[in-house]
Amino acid sequence: MASSAFAIRPYAIFFPFSLSPSKTSNSSSYSVKALNLALSSTPDSDHYGPALRRGQRPTPSDAGCYAPECDQSSNFDRSSFSRTFNIAALRIPASDCSTLEDRLRGHLLNWPRIRNIARVPGDDIEPDIRNLLRNAEGDGGQRLVSLAQRAGSISDNKTVAMNPVLYREKLAKEFNCRGFLKFRNLARMSRPKKKKKKNKRAEGEGVRVKDREQKKEYAVVEVTGESEVKEDDMSGLLGADFRSGRWRGSTRLLLLDERLADKALQELPEAVKAVLKGGDLPCKLPVCELIRCQLTLFYNYWHMDEVLETLLPESIVVPTGFETVGHIAHLNLGEEHLPYKKLIAQVVLDKNWPKIQTVVNKIDAIQNDYRTMQLEILAGNHSLVTTVVENGIKFLVDLAKVYWNSRLATERQRLVRSFTSSDVVCDVFSGVGPITISAAKKVKYVYANDLNPHAVEYLERNVILNKLDRKIEAFNMDGRRFIESLFSSQRSYPITQVIMNLPNDAVEFLDSFRGIFRRRARADSCNLPRIHIYGFSKALNPEFDFHERINMALCETVIDVKIYRVRLVAPGKWMLCASFILPKNVAFEQPILEGEGKEQV
């Protein structure tokens, strides 16, 4: 495995000589011994910690590798991912758990998501029954044994058993409802009826793996090695949930390191021996014993990458990332993943439920004017309408009709931070309003536009949802026409910021700003808007390439331009944001008449 190869490489650098028998110095012989020791201990590192390739399966199953034809239904045996590990544990009093956990931190299990302190049935008991114990140490005592014998209709010292009526009244005074587990009539009198479970298990039968999966449990600890000393059976008094044998007080299991599972008492670390003997501890433990346990990890424990690595063939790279849009997980699978797309989607749904309820895959690139994506629903419900919360703002989105990109949340927040409270924003390609609504909470007024009528519909819904209908005005028209009509009309709020978030085609709309102020008087005090335009570039110098394209679109050299790299959308393809003030020569440009052009020629 990768870990063993990683352990060998450092020694290959320090010891380039041959390891064959020859005359070597003492230092080299010590180095060879160290190398041999490392090589011999390398396999142990491969068998430590939780892993699907290790452990034993509770029940034999054929589920391990799936062929493409098995992916049609996306159903697989989740119980086949259960793994059991043999470990050792210390049974200690519940009151001393925290102290001993800190003391033995280096010798404990310390596995991810697994607590070092475990509880098993029978560790706790009700306070009313605890009062019957003779002393505080909880050794059981003859009084509890006598009551257990009477509960089974066995006479004490060969005397006549207590009258059932008197014994029932005594139980009613001294016990709570847990003491009535074996007395059905008293149980009905003491507590209301409970609803019957559909899948009722027989007494004494262990919890099955499928039941564990239905309860969304990911780990369980079971005691496999108990003391061989025959003790009194308290199940008749305390109920079937309590383990047989003499109860010794409220206890817990302190899970030890996996490498100590098969160690004898003499081979345990000194710190663990000290706890068992109770030598240098601050207080003598009333109960402390070494027991053998079995830790079972279910399907819900394993990470999504580990499950997919087991299900998919070794030649296929495991997909690790996806985009989240509300309750929808948006995958972008390659061609090699398509035969297993439903299987991958089901694992993604299982490992992210209930946050993710629908898994979709992008079929083709965005090629239409509305920037909508062709999506295929792979798992979960078939609703693509979701609610997205971004920076505390709610957005209603329908991925089948509108465009949304959650990866631009940081960029949108950066852009809005550059605005002031006196700004008036013009969002030429607003979509459902991620920048429009975020800016409206800060600026004075916002004009928003989009060509997609469905996007404008959801924009208006989001405006009302966030109670910003007095600060936003929505339009549904072409971007070039929107720019010309907005700047040519006499608006009560002069525009100070223009956002053009259409990276693929936004540069082509810059010619709309040529001569937008030609009808106004040319004055130095005129406030020109600041334009924030987005675009893509595959050049070696993307900033220079994007700047040149802006100059060509405006037919003017823009001097003060701030270009920011947003993100790398593909290998060698950058998404950029350029911010600049519209040049005065472009804003007040006059149209060239045909006659004037001929005279100049």
Side-chain angles (χ1 to χ4, degrees):
M1 295 177 65
S3 58
S4 60
F6 181 80
I8 296 175
R9 288 173 188 170
Y11 296 98
I13 296 175
F14 288 106
F15 309 110
F17 48 82
S18 175
L19 297 180
S20 59
S22 61
K23 294 182 180 180
T24 56
S25 60
N26 294 333
S27 60
S28 62
S29 62
Y30 293 151
S31 301
V32 173
K33 292 181 180 179
L35 175 60
N36 293 332
L37 180 60
L39 293 176
S40 62
S41 61
T42 298
D44 294 338
S45 61
D46 296 340
H47 301 281
Y48 178 72
L52 274 171
R53 301 182 182 275
R54 300 180 51 250
Q56 299 178 355
R57 297 184 181 183
T59 56
S61 178
D62 298 333
C65 182
Y66 287 83
E69 55 270 13
C70 298
D71 181 53
Q72 301 299 328
S73 61
S74 70
N75 294 326
F76 57 93
D77 187 11
R78 292 170 177 80
S79 62
S80 64
F81 290 90
S82 301
R83 298 293 185 272
T84 58
F85 301 87
N86 296 324
I87 59 175
L90 293 178
R91 189 187 296 276
I92 58 176
S95 57
D96 299 324
C97 286
S98 300
T99 303
L100 294 179
E101 184 182 12
D102 296 337
R103 181 184 181 90
L104 302 176
R105 177 67 65 179
H107 303 287
L108 299 181
L109 191 62
N110 297 326
W111 281 5
R113 298 178 61 193
I114 301 298
R115 295 188 59 185
N116 293 326
I117 301 176
R119 301 176 61 177
V120 296
D123 280 348
D124 287 328
I125 200 169
E126 296 294 334
D128 294 340
I129 299 180
R130 189 182 307 169
N131 295 332
L132 297 175
L133 302 181
R134 175 177 295 178
N135 47 40
E137 295 182 358
D139 60 348
Q142 293 297 329
R143 186 180 182 186
L144 190 60
V145 174
S146 176
L147 288 175
Q149 293 176 350
R150 296 193 179 198
S153 300
I154 301 176
S155 61
D156 189 7
N157 295 329
K158 297 181 180 181
T159 58
V160 181
M162 185 182 296
N163 189 315
V165 178
L166 298 178
Y167 181 56
R168 188 179 306 172
E169 293 179 356
K170 185 176 181 180
L171 287 177
K173 295 179 181 179
E174 297 182 356
F175 287 81
N176 60 0
C177 60
R178 293 192 65 89
F180 299 145
L181 291 177
K182 291 297 182 179
F183 302 92
R184 298 180 181 178
N185 294 331
L186 292 179
R188 295 173 182 174
M189 295 168 55
S190 60
R191 59 180 183 271
K193 295 182 180 181
K194 293 184 179 180
K195 296 182 180 179
K196 295 183 180 180
K197 297 182 179 180
K198 295 182 180 180
N199 299 329
K200 187 176 180 180
R201 297 186 297 269
E203 294 185 13
E205 184 181 358
V207 180
R208 295 174 296 181
V209 175
K210 293 184 179 180
D211 296 331
R212 301 282 190 185
E213 297 295 338
Q214 293 176 358
K215 292 182 179 181
K216 297 298 180 181
E217 296 180 355
Y218 60 85
V220 65
V221 178
E222 298 177 351
V223 178
T224 57
E226 288 283 0
S227 177
E228 297 181 356
V229 180
K230 186 177 181 181
E231 296 180 346
D232 300 310
D233 186 10
M234 299 295 175
S235 61
L237 178 65
L238 306 181
D241 291 341
F242 293 95
R243 59 186 177 88
S244 61
R246 182 172 297 172
W247 186 75
R248 301 182 179 180
S250 181
T251 58
R252 297 289 185 271
L253 296 182
L254 200 60
L255 306 182
L256 298 179
D257 197 325
E258 183 189 8
R259 289 168 288 191
L260 304 178
D262 299 329
K263 299 291 184 180
L265 185 60
Q266 297 77 12
E267 300 175 352
L268 295 177
E270 295 298 330
V272 180
K273 292 181 182 179
V275 174
L276 291 172
K277 296 179 181 179
D280 55 345
L281 295 177
C283 60
K284 187 176 180 180
L285 300 177
V287 177
C288 185
E289 57 180 340
L290 181 66
I291 59 176
R292 305 297 175 182
C293 300
Q294 192 176 68
L295 174 62
T296 305
L297 303 180
F298 302 104
Y299 170 77
N300 297 322
Y301 174 81
W302 306 109
H303 194 265
M304 179 181 66
D305 299 343
E306 297 179 273
V307 176
L308 291 177
E309 185 179 357
T310 304
L311 293 176
L312 299 179
E314 296 181 358
S315 59
I316 296 181
V317 179
V318 177
T320 57
F322 56 86
E323 181 183 353
T324 303
V325 182
H327 71 274
I328 303 173
H330 180 198
L331 304 178
N332 194 4
L333 302 177
E335 295 182 359
E336 59 179 0
H337 300 131
L338 294 182
Y340 309 93
K341 57 184 180 181
K342 292 186 179 180
L343 184 63
I344 296 173
Q346 188 61 46
V347 174
V348 171
L349 184 66
D350 291 343
K351 294 302 177 181
N352 297 275
W353 182 272
K355 182 179 179 181
I356 299 299
Q357 300 181 12
T358 305
V359 182
V360 299
N361 181 41
K362 183 179 178 181
I363 299 177
D364 197 1
I366 300 175
Q367 298 178 354
N368 51 56
D369 296 336
Y370 290 168
R371 297 184 294 169
T372 56
M373 295 177 290
Q374 297 182 5
L375 302 176
E376 178 186 7
I377 300 177
L378 301 179
N381 58 54
H382 290 259
S383 176
L384 295 180
V385 180
T386 182
T387 302
V388 183
V389 180
E390 183 177 289
N391 299 324
I393 304 175
K394 292 183 179 180
F395 299 94
L396 291 176
V397 179
D398 187 356
L399 289 184
K401 300 178 180 180
V402 301
Y403 174 81
W404 180 271
N405 192 342
S406 299
R407 298 178 180 177
L408 297 177
T410 305
E411 170 60 21
R412 291 191 280 261
Q413 188 176 11
R414 182 197 67 84
L415 183 62
V416 172
R417 286 178 180 176
S418 63
F419 300 156
T420 61
S421 58
S422 60
D423 283 331
V424 177
V425 179
C426 169
D427 195 352
V428 184
F429 314 104
S430 63
V432 298
I435 299 180
T436 299
I437 297 178
S438 300
K441 288 184 171 292
K442 184 177 182 180
V443 301
K444 188 175 183 179
Y445 203 80
V446 179
Y447 299 100
N449 171 73
D450 200 273
L451 182 63
N452 186 358
H454 300 289
V456 177
E457 178 185 355
Y458 277 92
L459 170 62
E460 295 174 348
R461 292 184 182 182
N462 295 329
V463 169
I464 298 176
L465 180 63
N466 293 277
K467 301 178 181 179
L468 294 171
D469 50 320
R470 295 185 179 181
K471 298 182 66 175
I472 298 176
E473 186 175 354
F475 300 86
N476 179 211
M477 60 180 67
D478 179 71
R480 183 175 283 102
R481 180 187 172 191
F482 171 69
I483 295 173
E484 294 174 354
S485 61
L486 190 65
F487 281 93
S488 61
S489 61
Q490 297 294 331
R491 297 284 174 177
S492 57
Y493 301 113
I495 299 172
T496 59
Q497 306 283 347
V498 178
I499 305 171
M500 304 180 70
N501 187 9
L502 188 64
N504 200 32
D505 304 318
V507 178
E508 300 177 1
F509 290 83
L510 284 176
D511 58 349
S512 303
F513 291 95
R514 298 171 58 183
I516 57 174
F517 291 157
R518 65 170 61 101
R519 298 181 181 179
R520 301 182 185 181
R522 185 163 183 170
D524 296 334
S525 59
C526 181
N527 294 326
L528 298 173
R530 175 176 290 274
I531 300 177
H532 307 274
I533 185 170
Y534 290 85
F536 296 128
S537 179
K538 296 182 180 180
L540 296 177
N541 190 348
E543 289 82 1
F544 178 79
D545 175 66
F546 194 37
H547 190 186
E548 288 297 318
R549 289 161 55 193
I550 293 174
N551 294 337
M552 293 177 60
L554 294 175
C555 298
E556 181 74 20
T557 301
V558 183
I559 299 176
D560 189 10
V561 181
K562 296 181 180 179
I563 300 179
Y564 174 77
R565 293 190 180 187
V566 179
R567 68 188 188 98
L568 190 66
V569 297
K573 184 178 181 180
W574 279 95
M575 180 179 179
L576 305 171
C577 176
S579 301
F580 59 92
I581 297 177
L582 182 66
K584 184 179 294 186
N585 295 335
V586 177
F588 291 93
E589 180 182 352
Q590 297 296 329
I592 300 176
L593 301 178
E594 295 182 0
E596 295 179 356
K598 293 179 180 180
E599 292 178 358
Q600 292 178 359
V601 174

